[in-house]
Amino acid sequence: MTFPSAVRKAGLLVAITALAVTAGCAKKDEGEVQAGGVKLVEKGKLTVCTHLPYAPFQSKDAGGTVVGFDVDVMDLVAKELGVEQKIIDTPFEGIKSGQDLNTGKCDAAAAGMTITEERQKVMDFSDPYFDATQALLVKTGKPYKSLDDLRGKKLGVQAATTGRDYARKHEAEKGLQLVEFEDLAAEQQALANGQIEAAVNDLPVWTEYIKEHPGGFEVTAEFDTGEQYGFSVKKDGNPELLKKINEVLAKAKQDGTYDKIYEKWIGKLPNS
């Protein structure tokens, strides 16, 4: 049977459109589940949200590559899944609120992030992988040995962090003038420039900064807050990935890989 040219063209267009829609759906479905049944937002990638810089956990090296403790551990997870790690630098507020995970911006968050009850309400955490302590950093030679010594003085804190929360608890009692900074780099720069007299943040971060600026700064007080870091995934949204992260952590601690990563980025292991 012969059809008019216009009808044939219309029919061909419908067929092509149908094929395109089918192909698009197939591609979408293919990208929803990856290696070992673990859901990933991008095929062949383990997309990880972090907030730079936060050395030694994540920062850029001289060549612009993101490196660090968290990066090495999440590389182990990516390797186990048979994919590559893709790192996205994003404001910490979007990470700790769970927004970046809920919107599919990333599969997991690895940002030197302390596990807290508040954060557990909006995201699922892995098993703890690092014991953290808050600390006070000052310029070498400054007389500040405790928060009591900073009464009426400007104390720097990083926004949305547990270090800021700790300082806020003692703000009124100690007569502190808190100055909040969006990221670690800004907090460090303010201390170096004399805009603030001291700064509170995680001890490993200050240890790394002191190594990079020998003789210029010192930790004069540590605050044992009992904090532990964890990696996170979407709340009730990716149990397969969470299970895989925990399995990789357990294996790394058992076979010595975790110890090697710790010594590479942090130094001598506690009690070793």
Side-chain angles (χ1 to χ4, degrees), residues 30 34 37-38 44-45 91 109-110 116 153 176 197 207 225 236 238 240 253:
E30 183 184 18
Q34 296 297 324
V38 173
K45 307 286 185 183
T116 68
K153 305 293 184 181
L176 307 173
E197 291 297 315
T207 301
T225 52
D236 299 323
N238 208 336
E240 299 88 357
K253 288 181 178 180

Side-chain angles (χ1 to χ4, degrees), residues 24-43:
C25 290
K27 184 176 181 181
K28 180 181 179 182
D29 291 342
E30 183 184 18
E32 286 178 349
V33 178
Q34 296 297 324
V38 173
K39 296 178 182 179
L40 299 176
V41 297
E42 183 178 341
K43 183 178 180 181

Side-chain angles (χ1 to χ4, degrees), residues 224-242:
D224 188 2
T225 52
E227 296 176 42
Q228 292 181 306
Y229 290 167
F231 301 116
S232 66
V233 302
K234 183 178 179 179
K235 183 70 176 178
D236 299 323
N238 208 336
E240 299 88 357
L241 178 56
L242 189 64

Side-chain angles (χ1 to χ4, degrees), residues 195-242:
Q195 294 173 248
I196 54 178
E197 291 297 315
V200 170
N201 216 306
D202 291 4
L203 177 60
V205 170
W206 290 149
T207 301
E208 183 69 15
Y209 189 64
I210 290 170
K211 284 195 292 185
E212 295 172 354
H213 302 80
F217 303 89
E218 60 181 331
V219 168
T220 56
E222 295 182 23
F223 313 113
D224 188 2
T225 52
E227 296 176 42
Q228 292 181 306
Y229 290 167
F231 301 116
S232 66
V233 302
K234 183 178 179 179
K235 183 70 176 178
D236 299 323
N238 208 336
E240 299 88 357
L241 178 56
L242 189 64

Side-chain angles (χ1 to χ4, degrees), residues 50 56-58 68-75 85 110-113 129 229 231 261 265:
T50 194
F57 296 95
Q58 49 272 136
F69 187 100
D70 287 358
V71 178
D72 282 2
V73 175
M74 293 307 287
D75 269 342
Q85 180 180 181
M113 181 164 53
Y129 71 92
Y229 290 167
F231 301 116
I261 293 174
W265 294 106

Side-chain angles (χ1 to χ4, degrees), residues 130-249:
F130 191 89
D131 294 331
T133 298
Q134 296 298 322
L136 186 71
L137 187 73
V138 304
K139 280 187 173 180
T140 300
K142 289 286 185 175
Y144 312 118
K145 305 297 183 184
S146 69
L147 293 182
D148 290 317
D149 296 333
L150 288 162
R151 182 171 296 276
K153 305 293 184 181
K154 292 181 179 180
L155 174 66
V157 295
Q158 183 180 346
T161 63
T162 51
R164 179 200 65 179
D165 296 342
Y166 179 82
R168 280 181 173 178
K169 288 180 181 179
H170 300 278
E171 182 177 6
E173 173 195 355
K174 306 292 186 182
L176 307 173
Q177 292 186 31
L178 299 188
V179 183
E180 191 167 312
F181 298 93
E182 181 63 27
D183 55 41
L184 175 64
E187 183 183 14
Q188 292 169 334
Q189 190 63 38
L191 182 62
N193 291 339
Q195 294 173 248
I196 54 178
E197 291 297 315
V200 170
N201 216 306
D202 291 4
L203 177 60
V205 170
W206 290 149
T207 301
E208 183 69 15
Y209 189 64
I210 290 170
K211 284 195 292 185
E212 295 172 354
H213 302 80
F217 303 89
E218 60 181 331
V219 168
T220 56
E222 295 182 23
F223 313 113
D224 188 2
T225 52
E227 296 176 42
Q228 292 181 306
Y229 290 167
F231 301 116
S232 66
V233 302
K234 183 178 179 179
K235 183 70 176 178
D236 299 323
N238 208 336
E240 299 88 357
L241 178 56
L242 189 64
K243 180 181 178 182
K244 184 62 65 175
I245 292 173
N246 284 335
E247 288 175 352
V248 169
L249 278 172

Side-chain angles (χ1 to χ4, degrees), residues 3 11 32 125 135 156 204 237 257:
F3 295 95
E32 286 178 349
F125 277 96
T257 304

Side-chain angles (χ1 to χ4, degrees), residues 5-15:
S5 176
V7 174
R8 290 199 304 271
K9 289 180 179 178
L12 181 60
L13 180 60
V14 170

